[in-house]
């Protein structure tokens, strides 16, 4: 399959009349982690949510521009969002496991994409839990409620759930900001691990986290991308003054 | 960046605490006494009602010598006959069948309406439909009964064999009466659902329908059932509207379209014709006691469901 990755070109998003994202173009490489940083309200979460058309689910949002994956523009009316969201998974700030067993949480997605055989589902569940480093902790209680897991475990379960439908890209909206430092470290390890198979776009308010986990960083401000470059460069020698001010905490 | 906290308040303020504290102690005391009094009035009233109903209701068995099993399983109700008979099974059957049927009719309607109002068209639902359904809750039961008598009964009579009055008519009228209860509770439950759960399902590629029946409904099921049980409990206790359309014949009907009675309808009908302290009067209290016991059972079921929901 063609490995073109995900890219947005001239993307604008409007909440009613207000333009939250102003003509943004960004390309994400496969097998890389891209961090989106910027002050609250700068549009980075809105941008992330437009990548899998999650903004469709709330009223009053209008999107202009193109988003390409595998040579297809997903921002066209005729696109099947179901297939699109299979290609682009998502993880939120607050862990949101379904009120079902650990097993059912992971089997939920594959079932909708045509996997019916129990043996096959068993394999997917084990593979995803292993990939998300949760197998050892949960293999003896796969059929107990996912809500009994700790916050960090729940978040890793949500990541496992998102990879169960074999996406190409995983979008993460502040995936560790509701977790304690130990769980955060585990999630970050997991991101580094998953990078080998997926392209990951992560929104974070934590500069250190962005520096630790990402290969590239995009700095958003007032709905625009101010600077997009290798993470090393952004954090050591940014070309824009605004970027420098933000990462060194002089505003924001 | 945040402003640094500036501590330029004069120290004097701290010394005045003692004079400020006094009225607050008074306030706390008054508040505590007043609320305690209110609770006491409530508890005493409820306890008195339970005691009153129980003392009269149990007198039937203790002083009048009617057997409990006879009352619960007897098929013939003839308190004024030469040999008085106190068989309440037809009424128990009538109450259970009308309220169960009403719940069976109203539950799918109410839950589906709530799904529409919260998931499909939340704007219209909140602005127009919800107030309309709440209005339905405010309609007096005599109006429901009247409408039932003039529309539901003739309709049933023209479609099914029989008089039109009976358990079917009662259940239909009751189902409209409990629809607001079920819908309102279901709407609250559905709109309080953590938004993340729905998004999580969408993000995995589930459609809106799949999300509704695989995530939204199962997650809120205990609350939805709470609504249904509360609705049933209302149907169980409703007297007037049912009495107007059920026919009030004291026996178990052979079909849904034949005259029957409920516990509540027989109490309201017979109540005026009995003398306080007579066996007939006490027997009616026994029926009230059965109603009371059923209400407690419904409350326990709701409690149980709520506990499951909070887990």
């Amino acid at each position: 399959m063609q490995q073109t990755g995900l890219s947005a070109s001239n993307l604008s998003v409007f909440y009613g009349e207000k333009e939250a994202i102003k003509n943004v173009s960004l390309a994400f490489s496969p097998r890389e982690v891209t961090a989106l940083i910027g002050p609250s309200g700068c549009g980075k979460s809105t941008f992330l949510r437009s990548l899998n058309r999650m903004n469709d689910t709330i009223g009053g949002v209008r999107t202009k521009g193109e988003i390409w994956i595998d040579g297809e523009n997903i921002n066209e009316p005729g696109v099947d969002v179901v297939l699109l969201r299979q290609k682009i998974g998502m993880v939120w700030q607050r862990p949101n496991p379904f009120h079902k067993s650990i097993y059912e949480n992971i089997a939920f997605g594959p079932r909708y994409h045509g996997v019916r055989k129990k043996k096959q589902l068993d394999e997917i569940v084990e593979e995803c839990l292993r990939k998300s480093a949760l197998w050892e902790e949960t293999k003896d209680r796969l059929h107990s409620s996912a809500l009994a897991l700790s916050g960090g475990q729940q978040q890793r379960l949500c990541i496992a759930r998102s990879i169960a439908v074999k996406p190409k890209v995983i979008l993460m909206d502040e995936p560790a900001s509701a977790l304690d430092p130990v769980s955060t470290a585990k999630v970050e390890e997991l991101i580094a691990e998953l990078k080998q198979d997926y392209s990951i776009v992560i929104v974070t308010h934590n500069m250190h986290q962005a520096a630790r986990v990402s290969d590239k960083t995009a700095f958003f401000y007032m709905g625009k991308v101010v600077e997009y470059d290798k993470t090393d460069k952004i954090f050591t020698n940014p070309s824009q003054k605004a970027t420098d001010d933000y990462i060194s905490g002089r505003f924001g | 960046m945040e402003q640094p906290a500036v501590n330029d308040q004069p120290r004097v303020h701290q010394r005045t605490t003692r004079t400020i504290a006094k009225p607050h102690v008074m306030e706390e005391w008054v508040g505590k006494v007043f609320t305690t009094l209110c609770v006491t009035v409530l508890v005493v009233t409820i306890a008195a009602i339970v005691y009153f109903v129980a003392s009269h209701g149990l007198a039937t068995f203790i002083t009048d010598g009617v057997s409990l099993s006879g009352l619960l399983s007897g098929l013939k109700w003839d308190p004024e006959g030469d040999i008085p008979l106190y068989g309440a099974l037809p009424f128990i059957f009538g109450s259970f069948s009308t309220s169960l049927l009403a719940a069976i009719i109203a539950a799918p309607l109410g839950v589906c309406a709530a799904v529409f109002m919260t998931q499909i068209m939340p704007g219209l639902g909140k602005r127009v439909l919800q107030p309309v359904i709440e209005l339905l809750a405010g309609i007096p039961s005599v109006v429901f009964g009247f409408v039932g008598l003039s529309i539901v009964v003739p309709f049933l009579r023209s479609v099914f064999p029989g008089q039109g009055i009976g358990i079917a008519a009662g259940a239909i009228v009751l189902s409209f009466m409990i629809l607001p209860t079920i819908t309102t509770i279901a709407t609250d439950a559905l709109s309080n659902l953590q938004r993340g759960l729905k998004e999580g399902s969408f993000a995995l590629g589930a459609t809106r329908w799949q999300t509704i029946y695989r995530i939204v409904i199962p997650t809120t099921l205990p609350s939805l059932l709470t609504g249904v049980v509360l609705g049933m409990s209302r149907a169980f206790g409703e007297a007037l509207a049912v009495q107007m359309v059920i026919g009030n014949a004291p026996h178990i009907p052979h079909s849904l379209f034949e005259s029957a009675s409920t516990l509540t309808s027989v109490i309201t009908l017979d109540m005026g014709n009995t003398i306080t302290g007579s066996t007939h009067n006490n027997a009616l209290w026994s029926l009230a006691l059965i109603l009371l016991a059923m209400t407690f059972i419904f409350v326990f079921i709701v409690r149980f469901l709520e506990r499951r929901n909070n887990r």
Side-chain angles (χ1 to χ4, degrees):
Chain A
M1 195 170 285
Q2 204 187 347
Q3 283 292 359
T4 45
L6 177 68
S7 68
S9 74
N10 303 323
L11 189 75
S12 298
V13 179
F14 301 83
Y15 287 110
E17 288 303 305
K18 189 179 164 276
E19 192 173 14
I21 299 287
K22 296 167 185 160
N23 206 21
V24 168
S25 298
L26 273 184
F28 305 103
S29 319
R31 300 192 182 79
E32 268 189 3
V33 178
T34 307
L36 309 182
I37 60 169
S40 296
C42 69
K44 55 195 189 308
S45 286
T46 303
F47 177 76
L48 191 79
R49 289 168 57 90
S50 61
L51 293 177
N52 65 344
R53 292 191 42 183
M54 200 46 93
N55 285 331
D56 291 12
T57 60
I58 41 180
V61 180
R62 201 156 48 84
T63 313
K64 231 172 65 183
E66 291 157 3
I67 298 164
W68 295 88
I69 186 167
D70 291 343
E72 269 186 285
N73 177 12
I74 61 164
N75 223 7
E76 274 168 4
V79 166
D80 184 355
V81 286
V82 170
L83 289 178
L84 156 69
R85 290 179 188 150
Q86 186 189 350
K87 283 184 186 166
I88 306 178
M90 191 161 194
V91 176
W92 282 262
Q93 175 177 12
R94 249 181 83 191
N96 57 352
F98 302 135
H99 297 206
K100 296 171 185 288
S101 69
I102 295 167
Y103 182 98
E104 283 301 321
N105 261 277
I106 296 183
F108 183 86
R111 280 222 177 91
Y112 282 127
H113 300 292
V115 183
R116 296 261 179 257
K117 284 195 196 111
K118 185 163 184 314
K119 197 164 160 272
Q120 220 177 334
L121 283 173
D122 289 349
E123 281 167 10
I124 292 173
V125 169
E126 180 172 347
E127 189 197 331
C128 293
L129 286 174
R130 279 190 191 284
K131 272 192 184 166
S132 54
L134 208 54
W135 178 250
E136 291 304 320
E137 294 157 61
T138 57
K139 64 180 175 190
D140 299 324
R141 47 172 175 154
L142 288 178
H143 295 283
S144 58
S145 171
L147 300 186
L149 296 172
S150 73
Q153 288 173 324
Q154 288 187 4
Q155 192 62 305
R156 279 181 284 147
L157 179 68
C158 291
I159 296 174
R161 184 175 77 185
S162 75
I163 61 179
V165 293
K166 300 200 170 23
K168 300 203 155 159
V169 183
I170 305 173
L171 309 175
M172 298 187 177
D173 194 352
E174 300 183 48
S177 63
L179 305 179
D180 67 77
V182 176
S183 305
T184 302
K186 282 188 177 163
V187 168
E188 287 180 9
E189 269 171 43
L190 182 53
I191 291 172
E193 196 71 33
L194 293 173
K195 182 171 108 167
Q196 294 166 11
D197 298 308
Y198 309 96
S199 152
I200 294 173
V201 184
I202 174 173
V203 164
T204 177
H205 275 142
N206 181 337
M207 293 308 134
H208 298 292
Q209 185 172 64
R212 277 193 302 262
V213 303
S214 70
D215 301 295
K216 283 187 183 149
T217 298
F219 171 56
F220 273 71
Y221 187 59
M222 309 269 282
K224 285 184 178 159
V225 176
V226 175
E227 190 170 355
Y228 177 42
D229 212 327
K230 289 216 160 64
T231 300
D232 291 343
K233 172 117 189 334
I234 295 261
F235 281 94
T236 53
N237 185 23
S239 60
Q240 301 289 322
K241 186 165 181 306
T243 315
D244 195 23
D245 285 350
Y246 182 70
I247 59 174
S248 54
R250 277 197 285 276
F251 83 94
Chain B
M1 296 307 289
E2 293 112 314
Q3 297 270 325
V6 185
N7 196 359
D8 56 1
Q9 297 287 317
R11 291 270 167 103
V12 189
H13 283 275
Q14 290 176 359
R15 250 179 276 149
T16 56
T17 38
R18 270 173 68 197
T19 51
I20 295 172
K22 247 187 181 163
H24 285 289
V25 171
M26 224 9 226
E27 233 172 71
E28 294 285 327
W29 187 82
V30 168
K32 201 168 163 184
V33 168
F34 181 70
T35 49
T36 311
L37 217 68
C38 291
V39 159
T40 314
V41 169
L42 247 168
V43 170
V44 168
T45 314
I46 294 168
I49 290 174
V50 172
Y51 171 78
F52 191 73
V53 173
S55 66
H56 279 75
L58 292 175
T60 321
F61 313 116
I62 296 162
T63 54
D64 301 329
V66 177
S67 80
L68 176 65
S69 59
L71 185 101
L72 291 178
S73 64
L75 288 171
K76 195 141 175 58
W77 177 264
D78 188 11
E80 304 294 331
D82 294 336
I83 311 157
L85 291 167
Y86 300 97
L89 189 61
F91 313 135
I92 297 171
F93 174 83
S95 280
F96 270 102
S97 53
T98 46
S99 49
L100 250 174
L101 267 177
I104 289 171
I105 299 169
L109 280 175
V111 171
C112 290
V115 165
F116 181 85
M117 291 194 297
T118 56
Q119 316 291 316
I120 317 275
M121 294 200 79
L124 183 77
K126 210 168 268 162
R127 270 203 320 276
V128 185
L129 297 175
Q130 224 168 325
V132 168
I133 287 178
E134 276 156 19
L135 200 72
L136 204 61
I139 298 175
S141 53
V142 66
V143 175
F144 275 105
F146 204 19
V147 170
L149 197 58
S150 11
I151 294 170
V152 178
V153 171
F155 171 76
L156 289 176
R157 185 163 48 210
S158 66
V159 176
F160 298 100
Q163 295 279 296
I165 49 177
I167 285 172
I172 290 170
V173 169
L174 281 176
S175 69
F176 279 100
M177 293 184 71
I178 67 176
L179 200 55
T181 311
I182 296 180
T183 313
T184 309
I185 292 174
T187 307
D188 285 347
L190 293 176
S191 49
N192 287 341
L193 180 70
Q194 200 191 324
R195 187 174 159 77
L197 286 180
K198 267 166 69 187
E199 290 199 324
S201 169
F202 288 141
L204 289 169
T207 62
R208 185 161 71 182
W209 277 115
Q210 289 165 340
T211 303
I212 288 171
Y213 75 76
R214 293 294 299 267
I215 298 295
V216 176
I217 303 268
T219 312
T220 51
L221 194 62
S223 309
L224 300 180
L225 286 177
T226 301
V228 174
V229 173
L230 282 176
M232 257 186 81
S233 134
R234 188 179 170 203
F236 206 82
E238 172 56 37
L240 193 57
V242 183
Q243 187 205 318
M244 288 167 80
V245 298
I246 202 164
N248 303 308
H251 50 67
I252 294 180
H254 298 291
S255 86
L256 294 175
F257 311 101
E258 224 172 80
S259 180
S261 289
T262 64
L263 288 166
T264 47
S265 68
V266 75
I267 293 174
T268 47
L269 276 181
D270 283 14
M271 166 170 82
N273 312 326
T274 60
I275 303 146
T276 311
S278 68
T279 312
H280 189 178
N281 187 273
N282 283 345
L284 293 181
W285 283 111
S286 301
L287 301 187
L289 190 61
I290 296 173
L291 281 172
L292 200 66
M294 276 315 297
T295 314
F296 284 151
I297 291 172
F298 282 126
V299 170
F300 276 123
I301 296 173
V302 168
R303 277 292 161 110
F304 172 76
L305 289 170
E306 273 170 359
R307 197 152 349 124
R308 270 199 52 181
N309 200 20
N310 293 337
R311 209 178 39 186

